[in-house]
Amino acid sequence: MGLADPRGSGLCLSRMAHRSATPPTREGRTMTTALHDARLRAVCAAVQDTGARTLLDLGCGAGDLLLRLARVPQFTRLTGIDIDLASLRQAQARLADLPAEARAKVQLAQASMTAAHAKLRGYDCACLVETIEHLPLADLNRLERALFADMRPGHVIVTTPNAEFNPVLGVPAHRFRHPGHHFEWDRTRFQGWAEGVAARHGYSIRRHDIGETHPALGGASQMAVFARLG
């Protein structure tokens, strides 16, 4: 079964078809970086700690997170959405090499993470891995309403670059780490955003450093774990 475009006709989720695997290109690279691996390990651990059995990967890209979690017996349903059809087809190809039992857990759809979809309600956990910084700042309010007000998963896990760490990576002050980024936040700004979202929608929040950590500048990336209250 192929991927379906939900625009105009409601969200349609498609399970995997068998295809040949292709190399990952997350963040424009052909090989997984040490930092990206650290992010994925941190997110996988955080998701498993929540006890989630169903997971929504918003901005799933080429399927890096889904590929790891599909093999974990804890999970019964994994859904990835992305607006970019080429990335979704790459995810479809990579996931096709999983064992049949793992592959059957996964479904993909082309959709915007800033729009609410009734079929995406009721998940135990939602993840946004290095995704929010690819949105224009004006779209963050739309994401907040769609995810925290409408879909309301039990937990939400968000990772994003820590701008304070950029000098350690050799990123000039006038540039972002990636040309597709619309913003990069320091730890205080990210904490403030996360606390505001949590307070408005009935979640608690904990922030963590990810990857290499500098004593003054924090981690290369940062993660917020939201837990729905009540």
Side-chain angles (χ1 to χ4, degrees):
M1 185 181 297
L3 294 165
D5 185 344
R7 290 169 292 187
S9 60
L11 186 66
C12 181
L13 301 172
S14 300
R15 295 197 181 277
M16 301 301 94
H18 287 279
R19 295 174 184 263
S20 299
T22 55
T25 57
R26 183 89 178 201
E27 296 184 353
R29 299 179 177 87
T30 57
M31 295 184 66
T32 302
T33 65
L35 175 56
H36 186 49
D37 183 66
R39 290 182 198 127
L40 290 173
R41 284 189 283 107
V43 171
C44 287
V47 172
Q48 290 179 259
D49 284 348
T50 70
R53 293 178 59 79
T54 60
L55 179 128
L56 179 61
D57 187 5
L58 299 169
C60 66
D64 293 352
L65 181 63
L66 296 171
L67 199 69
R68 295 193 179 206
L69 294 180
R71 295 179 181 272
V72 180
Q74 171 180 334
F75 300 103
T76 59
R77 179 163 51 112
L78 302 167
T79 299
I81 72 166
D82 205 291
I83 199 65
D84 183 66
L85 184 58
S87 293
L88 288 171
R89 292 210 179 279
Q90 188 174 20
Q92 187 177 49
R94 296 176 68 203
L95 291 163
D97 280 349
L98 287 172
E101 184 178 357
R103 189 172 62 248
K105 299 177 183 180
V106 184
Q107 50 193 359
L108 299 175
Q110 186 184 24
S112 169
M113 71 179 71
T114 61
H117 302 285
K119 289 184 179 180
L120 299 183
R121 294 172 184 155
Y123 279 78
D124 296 332
C125 186
C127 293
L128 299 94
V129 181
E130 306 296 294
T131 297
I132 61 169
E133 64 275 6
H134 290 270
L135 295 175
L137 278 168
D139 281 349
L140 282 182
N141 288 337
R142 295 176 60 210
L143 170 66
E144 178 183 333
R145 289 194 297 271
L147 180 57
F148 289 92
D150 186 90
M151 291 184 273
R152 292 191 61 76
H155 289 83
V156 178
I157 297 172
V158 180
T159 79
T160 193
N162 170 20
E164 296 168 77
F165 199 86
N166 283 357
V168 180
L169 300 175
V171 179
H174 63 282
R175 284 178 46 198
F176 292 141
R177 293 187 196 179
H178 188 279
H181 290 181
H182 289 270
F183 62 89
E184 290 177 1
W185 285 338
D186 61 22
R187 290 169 292 172
T188 300
R189 179 69 182 85
F190 182 51
Q191 181 80 24
W193 173 79
E195 288 179 350
V197 169
R200 286 188 290 273
H201 299 285
Y203 283 77
S204 65
I205 181 265
R206 293 179 288 111
R207 197 201 68 85
H208 307 269
D209 290 323
I210 296 177
E212 182 183 350
T213 303
H214 186 279
L217 304 177
S221 280
Q222 49 189 337
M223 175 171 67
V225 179
F226 297 84
R228 193 179 64 212
L229 302 173

